[in-house]
Amino acid sequence: MQGQAPKQGMLPHDHQWAIRSAFDNIHASLFLSMIEDIRRRLSTPNLSATLLVAAYEIYSNVASRILADRQFIQPRSNQQYPLDINRAWYFISLLSSGVLMFIHCGRCRARYLAVAACNRKPANLQSKPFSTGNKCN
C-alpha cells in the first residue's frame, strides 16, 4: 500500500496502545470513527477487506494533513503514520468485541477510545470532562 515490503514479526496486539498517548488515541479514534460512520451509512455490520482498505486510505489522507504541520504535534519516528493498517485491523476487532469503546468528551462531544473493561481514559486527556466516571488504577 505504501510501496514497501510488509513489516516482519507478529501483528500488533497491544490493546492499550491507543490510550498510552493522546497522539495515538487521536489517530486510532479518527480511524475507528471513520469505520463506524461508514458501516452505519452503508447499513452493514460486516467488515470487508475492501471497506478496510478504503477506510485506511481515507485515514492516511487525513493523517497526512494532520502530520504536515508538525509544530503542533510531537515528533514521531520514521513511520509515516502512527496507525498502520495491521493495527487498524486489530483495533476494529477490539471495538467490535467490546474490548475498546468510544467515550464522549462532555465539553466538545468528540469521541475518544477507552478500554471498556475499566473505562480507562486516554493519557494526557485526563483533564477533559468525559461522561464516564470509572477509573482504572
Side-chain angles (χ1 to χ4, degrees), residues 35-85:
I35 284 285
E36 289 297 300
D37 290 344
I38 291 169
R39 285 161 100 175
R40 188 179 64 245
R41 290 173 193 261
L42 295 177
S43 299
T44 178
N46 299 326
L47 177 71
S48 67
T50 305
L51 179 60
L52 170 66
V53 171
Y56 191 79
E57 286 176 357
I58 294 168
Y59 159 75
S60 60
N61 186 11
V62 172
S64 67
R65 292 181 180 162
I66 292 171
L67 296 173
D69 191 4
R70 290 185 175 241
Q71 65 180 333
F72 299 110
I73 299 175
Q74 68 189 37
R76 301 300 291 176
S77 64
N78 294 339
Q79 185 179 346
Q80 188 174 2
Y81 305 112
L83 182 69
D84 66 16
I85 196 162

Side-chain angles (χ1 to χ4, degrees), residues 5-53:
K7 295 179 185 179
Q8 299 298 314
M10 294 175 40
L11 290 174
H13 63 277
D14 183 6
H15 68 278
Q16 293 192 353
W17 176 88
I19 61 169
R20 289 219 165 101
S21 76
F23 184 80
D24 293 342
N25 189 275
I26 288 168
H27 282 271
S29 297
L30 175 67
F31 175 76
L32 289 173
S33 291
M34 288 177 187
I35 284 285
E36 289 297 300
D37 290 344
I38 291 169
R39 285 161 100 175
R40 188 179 64 245
R41 290 173 193 261
L42 295 177
S43 299
T44 178
N46 299 326
L47 177 71
S48 67
T50 305
L51 179 60
L52 170 66
V53 171

Side-chain angles (χ1 to χ4, degrees), residues 54-126:
Y56 191 79
E57 286 176 357
I58 294 168
Y59 159 75
S60 60
N61 186 11
V62 172
S64 67
R65 292 181 180 162
I66 292 171
L67 296 173
D69 191 4
R70 290 185 175 241
Q71 65 180 333
F72 299 110
I73 299 175
Q74 68 189 37
R76 301 300 291 176
S77 64
N78 294 339
Q79 185 179 346
Q80 188 174 2
Y81 305 112
L83 182 69
D84 66 16
I85 196 162
N86 292 321
R87 191 178 305 273
W89 172 81
Y90 181 66
F91 279 167
I92 290 169
S93 66
L94 292 177
L95 187 64
S96 297
S97 68
V99 174
L100 293 177
M101 63 181 247
F102 282 112
I103 55 177
H104 291 87
C105 172
R107 186 177 303 149
C108 69
R109 302 301 300 159
R111 294 187 296 187
Y112 296 98
L113 285 174
V115 176
C118 59
N119 294 337
R120 183 171 171 193
K121 298 172 187 172
N124 300 327
L125 293 176
Q126 297 293 337

